[in-house]
Amino acid sequence: MGDPYDVLGVSKGASEGDIKSAYRRLAKKLHPDANKHDPKAASRFAELNAAYEIVGDADKRKAFDRGEIDAEGKPRFQGFEGFGAQPGGGFNPGGGAHFESFSFGPDGFRRSGGGGGGGGIDELLRGMFGGAARGARHGSRAPFEGEDFGAGTGAGQDLHASLTITLNDAAKGTKTRVHLPTGKDIEVKIPAGIASGQQIRLKGQGWPSANGRAGDALITVNVAPHPLFKPDGSDLRLDLPITLYEAALGGKVRVPTLDGAVELAIPPDTNSGRTFRLKGKGLKAKSGAGDLLATVRIVMPEHTDDAFKDMMKSWSDKKPYNPRGDLE
C-alpha cells in the first residue's frame, strides 16, 4: 500500500478534522456500490480504509510517524516482551491500539483483527452508506470458512491473497492451489456458486505470532470474464445472435449453457432485445440454481445481393413502418 497520507490526499500536518473530511469525500467517490463496473474499485476502497485506520487513529498515526509501523500497520520491529510488544508479536504503541486489515466483497466492507480504532471508521461508513459497511445490502453473502487449523487466542495477523478461477469452476466448484505470502502452497476448495470478490478463510494459515499461533489466510476469489456469459447474481446473461429470417419466421435455435447446448423456440416476429429465460441454467445458489437470460440480437448476413435489396426496397415502399415513433 502507498503512504496513507498520499492515499487520503492530506499532508502529514493535517488536522483530525481535515483527515476525516478527506476520508468521507473519497469514501463516497470510491465506494464499490458507486463503481459497480470498475473491477478495481474494491481494492482502492480497501486501501482507503486501511490508510484512514492508520492516520485517523491518534496512536497509530504517531506510531507511523515515528517509523514504528509501516503503511499497512505492520510493526517495523517486533520488539521484546516488556518493551511494548504484544504477546502475539504485534507492536502496541501506547499500550492501547492494535492493527486491522480491510477488504470489500459482495458482503460489503469487512475488517479483521481487534481493536480500538479511534477514527470511528464503522460509524462513518454506516452513516454514509446506510449499513452497507457491514454487508447489509440485499443478497450479500458471508465469506466461506475453510478448514480449522487450530488458530486461537493470541494468534498472529491475518494475511491476504487472491486467486483467479474460470466461470465454469465457480459454477461447479473445484480444488486449486494458491501460493501464500508465507511461502506455502495451499490447496483451496472452491465451493460451487462462489461469486467474484468473495473470500475464503483458511484458519491458521496466516502470519505466525511469537507464541507460534498463526492468524488466518483470507483468499479473495476473482472469477475471470467468460467470452459468452456474464454473471448477474445467480443468473447468467447471454447475447444470442439470430438471423433476420429466424426473427421474422420463428424457429428453433441452439443456445449454449454451462452444461451444454439446449434448444430454444424463437416465436415469429421476435424483436431484437427480447430476453428469454432458461430456468435453472444459471449459477448455483442457496435458494436453488439461477437462470440463463438470453437476449436476442438480430444479425444481418455478411453479404447481401441485389435480390435481397430489391425485396427490402419493395417492402419499405409498400408497407412502411416507424419503430422510432415513441422517440419523437
Side-chain angles (χ1 to χ4, degrees):
M1 190 184 83
D3 186 287
Y5 290 104
D6 293 339
V7 173
L8 287 162
V10 299
S11 67
K12 288 190 176 181
S15 67
E16 180 181 343
D18 290 339
I19 292 172
K20 183 177 292 186
S21 296
Y23 171 76
R24 285 179 176 272
R25 174 175 54 81
L26 290 173
K28 290 180 180 179
K29 178 182 178 181
L30 300 177
H31 196 281
D33 282 352
N35 301 273
K36 294 182 178 179
H37 301 295
D38 184 354
K40 297 182 179 179
S43 62
R44 286 199 296 264
F45 185 67
E47 183 181 38
L48 173 67
N49 284 298
Y52 181 70
E53 184 66 19
I54 298 276
V55 300
D57 179 280
D59 289 332
K60 294 177 187 178
R61 183 180 181 184
K62 291 176 182 177
F64 176 78
D65 291 343
R66 291 194 298 263
E68 295 168 353
I69 60 174
D70 61 18
E72 296 180 357
K74 296 177 182 177
R76 294 185 184 276
F77 177 64
Q78 298 263 340
F80 303 96
E81 297 293 339
F83 288 90
Q86 293 275 35
F91 189 85
N92 187 14
H98 55 278
F99 309 111
E100 302 174 342
S101 55
F102 303 88
S103 62
F104 193 95
D107 51 337
F109 174 72
R110 296 182 60 79
R111 61 195 298 168
S112 59
I121 194 168
D122 288 336
E123 288 73 15
L124 282 175
L125 288 172
R126 279 197 296 271
M128 287 188 288
F129 302 106
R134 291 199 178 275
R137 294 179 292 118
H138 175 70
S140 65
R141 307 181 187 180
F144 292 93
E145 291 290 332
E147 185 176 353
D148 189 344
F149 290 92
T153 304
Q157 291 183 335
D158 293 344
L159 63 77
H160 295 263
S162 63
L163 62 86
T164 300
I165 61 174
T166 67
L167 181 62
N168 295 70
D169 286 340
K172 300 176 182 179
T174 187
K175 288 183 179 181
T176 187
R177 298 189 72 80
V178 61
H179 183 74
L180 300 180
T182 57
K184 292 182 181 179
D185 287 318
I186 298 294
E187 185 174 75
V188 180
K189 182 178 180 180
I190 307 296
I194 194 169
S196 191
Q198 283 190 275
Q199 289 185 330
I200 296 175
R201 181 183 294 271
L202 302 178
K203 293 184 177 181
Q205 295 298 312
W207 298 109
S209 65
N211 62 14
R213 292 178 176 175
D216 299 339
L218 300 175
I219 312 299
T220 300
V221 178
N222 300 306
V223 180
H226 192 278
L228 298 179
F229 306 111
K230 182 178 180 180
D232 183 3
S234 61
D235 295 332
L236 291 176
R237 291 190 176 274
L238 166 73
D239 283 342
L240 179 65
I242 64 172
T243 65
L244 184 61
Y245 47 84
E246 286 170 333
L249 304 176
K252 291 184 177 181
V253 300
R254 290 179 66 78
V255 181
T257 76
L258 291 176
D259 299 320
V262 297
E263 278 196 341
L264 173 66
I266 303 293
D269 302 321
T270 293
N271 286 318
S272 188
R274 182 173 176 179
T275 298
F276 295 88
R277 183 182 296 271
L278 283 70
K279 290 283 189 180
K281 294 300 182 180
L283 301 173
K284 290 183 179 180
K286 290 182 179 180
S287 56
D291 303 328
L292 175 62
L293 306 177
T295 300
V296 167
R297 306 296 182 197
I298 298 174
V299 179
M300 291 287 291
E302 291 185 10
H303 305 287
T304 59
D305 55 18
D306 290 339
F308 178 84
K309 294 176 182 177
D310 290 341
M311 179 179 64
M312 291 295 100
K313 181 66 168 59
S314 174
W315 181 272
S316 65
D317 290 341
K318 295 178 181 179
K319 297 182 180 180
Y321 68 102
N322 182 12
R324 297 174 297 279
D326 292 340
L327 304 180
E328 298 174 353

